[in-house]
Amino acid sequence: MRTGCGHKKKMINTPKIYKMRIVFRVLEESAEQLNVFNAVRKMVLASGLPFEPAKVNPRWPRLAYGPAPAKGQRAEREYLDIYLRTLCSEAAVQQALVKVAPKGLELVQVTRVPYPLPSVQNLAAAVRYRVKGDFSRFNLSGRKIEDWAEAGNLTVTLRSQNGMSCQKDLAPGLLNARTVAPDEIALTLVPINGKWVSPQWFIAAWLGIEIPAQEELFELEGLIFIRQNFYWKDSQGELHPM
């Protein structure tokens, strides 16, 4: 398959590997059926792009996928870095991938990025979520999330298997919380000690709901958590969407 990728004469300091950052989204109706990593790997294999082989298996392309949305979340933007042995234009890469993209996977953007640039996983400094649903079912006091955020006591209760409980301070992980509509909240979060905390925990803290011992099974029925965007931070401390 012709991809429109061209070879250039070797120049001093010209990198031998080129990195393309792909932004895509999985359509809602395909989210449960699609194994995303397998799907994108097959897509790159079928595209005819001159990929750099993966170390684990030279027949597979070298890819950096993620961060994947956690259980109980959807994502408007997912990220994939593809490593190529030949310089290709952004348009050529997008055209090659669109032709073989699996059903339910939509390409949003293709951008060439410098090879040394960290992966999205390592570059992400903040993340924004949209949370949609009927909050009045849980929020019996009617307390606004802005009032909770400004109060400063942002703790969530964790219940252990032996019935004991402990408090976890979420304040360092909350950058912003606001009401977008009666049925929609926006959260901007940052890592706490290098680790991302689930947005479900922040909503639970606001609503006064305990996290059970089997925290991986915890969900707030009827609420939809949508990861909207990751942000990177420049040398001045300003955040920019990826």
Side-chain angles (χ1 to χ4, degrees):
M1 179 186 295
R2 294 179 62 86
T3 61
C5 303
H7 295 269
K8 286 193 171 183
K9 294 181 179 178
K10 289 186 177 181
M11 303 287 289
I12 297 176
N13 296 328
T14 299
K16 295 181 180 180
I17 303 175
Y18 306 89
K19 182 158 69 172
M20 307 298 292
R21 181 152 294 165
I22 315 300
V23 179
F24 66 93
R25 70 185 184 103
V26 176
L27 302 181
E28 182 179 349
E29 60 271 18
S30 303
E32 294 185 2
Q33 294 80 20
L34 199 64
N35 182 315
V36 177
F37 185 73
N38 285 343
V40 296
R41 184 169 61 195
K42 291 177 181 178
M43 177 178 67
V44 176
L45 282 169
S47 70
L49 291 169
F51 60 79
E52 169 74 7
K55 291 183 180 180
V56 66
N57 187 333
R59 294 176 297 176
W60 291 347
R62 179 184 171 189
L63 306 173
Y65 165 57
K71 182 181 178 181
Q73 300 175 15
R74 301 206 305 260
E76 292 183 358
R77 295 169 67 89
E78 295 197 54
Y79 304 85
L80 176 73
D81 286 350
I82 301 175
Y83 295 82
L84 302 178
R85 284 186 162 180
T86 302
L87 179 62
C88 300
S89 70
E90 296 168 355
V93 172
Q94 181 152 354
Q95 183 180 24
L97 294 175
V98 165
K99 288 181 179 179
V100 294
K103 183 179 180 181
L105 190 149
E106 179 182 5
L107 266 70
V108 177
Q109 182 181 333
V110 175
T111 308
R112 184 187 169 200
V113 296
Y115 177 75
L117 189 72
S119 66
V120 173
Q121 181 88 36
N122 294 320
L123 193 62
V127 61
R128 188 174 190 268
Y129 289 93
R130 296 163 52 213
V131 187
K132 303 185 70 174
D134 182 7
F135 300 102
S136 64
R137 296 175 53 224
F138 307 96
N139 190 12
L140 301 181
S141 68
R143 187 185 191 189
K144 292 183 178 180
I145 197 168
E146 291 89 345
D147 296 335
W148 168 77
E150 291 173 4
N153 182 26
L154 312 184
T155 59
V156 67
T157 301
L158 307 176
R159 182 69 58 180
S160 64
Q161 290 183 338
N162 61 9
M164 301 293 288
S165 65
C166 65
Q167 302 287 317
K168 181 175 178 63
D169 182 18
L170 301 182
L174 181 65
L175 198 61
N176 183 266
R178 65 186 181 90
T179 303
V180 177
D183 64 345
E184 184 172 344
I185 298 293
L187 295 175
T188 304
L189 310 180
V190 296
I192 299 178
N193 297 324
K195 296 183 179 180
W196 296 101
V197 176
S198 167
Q200 283 92 327
W201 284 29
F202 289 86
I203 297 298
W206 164 46
L207 299 175
I209 298 173
E210 288 187 352
I211 307 296
Q214 292 180 299
E215 59 188 57
E216 69 278 1
L217 302 179
F218 175 69
E219 61 178 316
L220 293 165
E221 187 177 351
L223 299 185
I224 302 171
F225 290 79
I226 305 169
R227 194 183 71 194
Q228 194 168 15
N229 213 340
F230 278 107
Y231 294 81
W232 62 276
K233 184 183 293 185
D234 64 23
S235 58
Q236 305 300 315
E238 296 292 325
L239 293 173
H240 306 272
M242 292 192 197

